[in-house]
């Protein structure tokens, strides 16, 4: 109850300290740790704690909702900074294209005119 109040009033440092002082790391503990981390903007840590809460109590809708929420937030965060990553512009696609171009040049004896 104290952790919930601290989170609701925005006192994340207090909520974090209260959680760290607890020895019982139940599904609810992991959920609230995830809430604190998510509000601090630490999405990967939040995702891990929500995931642990979900695996400890798979029937809890609140835990599943929080887990899905942080995954959607993290996807948006990554998209904002990495653009179209994973949509054909990754390093493997670039290397594959260069290998293909190199093979084409070797097929004509290396006498081909460079395109760039």
């Amino acid at each position: 109850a104290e952790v919930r109040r601290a989170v609701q009033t925005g006192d994340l440092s207090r909520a974090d300290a209260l959680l760290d002082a607890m020895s019982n790391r139940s599904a609810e503990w992991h959920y609230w740790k995830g809430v604190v981390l998510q509000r601090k903007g630490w999405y990967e840590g939040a995702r891990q704690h929500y995931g642990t809460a979900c695996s400890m109590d798979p029937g809890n809708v609140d835990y599943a909702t929080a887990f899905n929420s942080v995954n959607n937030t993290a996807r948006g965060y990554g998209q904002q900074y990495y653009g179209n990553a994973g949509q054909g512009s990754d390093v493997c696609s670039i290397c594959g294209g260069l290998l293909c171009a190199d093979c084409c040049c070797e097929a004509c004896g290396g006498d081909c005119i460079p395109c760039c």
Side-chain angles (χ1 to χ4, degrees), residues 33-110:
K33 187 70 170 183
V35 168
V36 169
L37 293 175
Q38 185 176 11
R39 294 212 179 166
K40 287 182 173 184
W42 300 346
Y43 300 114
E44 181 57 27
R47 189 187 67 74
Q48 289 174 0
H49 282 285
Y50 288 150
T52 301
C54 286
S55 59
M56 291 174 79
D57 187 0
N60 191 304
V61 177
D62 292 334
Y63 301 168
T65 301
F67 184 70
N68 290 333
S69 170
V70 78
N71 279 333
N72 290 335
T73 301
R75 260 189 232 109
Y77 176 79
Q79 186 68 24
Q80 177 182 355
Y81 290 97
Y82 301 112
N84 294 325
Q87 296 179 2
S89 62
D90 61 354
V91 174
C92 292
S93 295
I94 294 168
C95 288
L98 290 172
L99 280 171
C100 185
D102 185 55
C103 289
C104 290
C105 284
E106 287 179 12
C108 67

Side-chain angles (χ1 to χ4, degrees), residues 3-61:
V3 172
R4 182 180 293 120
R5 271 192 299 277
V7 168
Q8 289 171 343
T9 61
D11 192 352
L12 299 178
S13 297
R14 176 166 166 66
D16 208 16
L18 288 167
L19 286 165
D20 288 345
M22 293 178 187
S23 58
N24 182 14
R25 306 288 165 98
S26 65
E28 186 177 18
W29 183 92
H30 285 282
Y31 169 76
W32 283 107
K33 187 70 170 183
V35 168
V36 169
L37 293 175
Q38 185 176 11
R39 294 212 179 166
K40 287 182 173 184
W42 300 346
Y43 300 114
E44 181 57 27
R47 189 187 67 74
Q48 289 174 0
H49 282 285
Y50 288 150
T52 301
C54 286
S55 59
M56 291 174 79
D57 187 0
N60 191 304
V61 177

